Amino acid sequence: MEFLHLLSVVLVTLSPVVEINGSIPLGIALGLDPILTFIIAVTTNSLLFLLVYFLLTFFYQNFLKRIKFLRRYIGRAQKKAKPYVEKYGYIGLTAFIALPSPFTGVYTGSAIAWALGMDLKKSFIAITVAVIINGLIVLGVVLGFFEFLKFLIYK
């Protein structure tokens, strides 16, 4: 059963919009160890960057740019993040992704790094740091919430 719970964490982490912000609470709610959940979610989310970056690199010109939604998504992401990245560089990319909010996760960060022609290795490091920060924030909030629930229930 634990394998299915771990697989659930991986699949939710891979889902756009939800990503790590939903997978860590899910794993903990399913009874998985919080540290194991954090490690699985962070690793999966960080590696997702490479997948998205390479898919954009290899398939965008020939296929993906024909998809209107994807063109608009990349354009909006680039426009939204460009001032941060131009001013702060890779730290700006990290800051853009680090705070848990919709549409600022690894999918968007990968599209931004790719669209702005940022270095793959430096982008990977920046996004991994952002994912760790994001994961720690989510983990802290979720564990605090569960402790609060325990307090209410067992008081």
Side-chain angles (χ1 to χ4, degrees), residues 12-142:
V12 169
T13 303
L14 293 174
S15 65
V17 181
V18 179
E19 295 184 35
I20 200 168
N21 300 331
S23 63
I24 289 176
L26 173 67
I28 293 171
L30 290 173
L32 293 172
D33 177 65
I35 301 301
L36 176 62
T37 301
F38 174 81
I39 291 169
I40 295 295
V42 165
T43 302
T44 302
N45 212 219
S46 295
L47 293 175
L48 178 61
F49 163 75
L50 296 173
L51 176 67
V52 173
Y53 194 94
F54 285 121
L55 284 174
L56 287 170
T57 300
F58 292 114
F59 295 111
Y60 186 78
Q61 288 297 58
N62 297 322
F63 175 69
L64 297 176
K65 79 174 183 179
R66 296 181 189 147
I67 301 171
K68 187 177 182 179
F69 165 77
L70 188 59
R71 271 197 332 267
R72 281 198 328 229
Y73 171 76
I74 291 173
R76 286 181 186 160
Q78 184 179 5
K79 185 178 178 182
K80 189 176 180 182
K82 193 172 183 177
Y84 298 104
V85 174
E86 283 181 343
K87 187 171 183 178
Y88 303 108
Y90 292 94
I91 293 172
L93 181 64
T94 300
F96 186 77
I97 298 167
L99 296 176
S101 62
F103 303 109
T104 61
V106 172
Y107 283 100
T108 304
S110 302
I112 291 165
W114 175 81
L116 296 177
M118 299 177 80
D119 179 73
L120 174 68
K121 290 178 186 177
K122 291 178 183 176
S123 297
F124 179 70
I125 292 168
I127 287 177
T128 299
V129 169
V131 167
I132 291 168
I133 293 168
N134 186 327
L136 288 171
I137 291 168
V138 171
L139 185 64
V141 168
V142 170

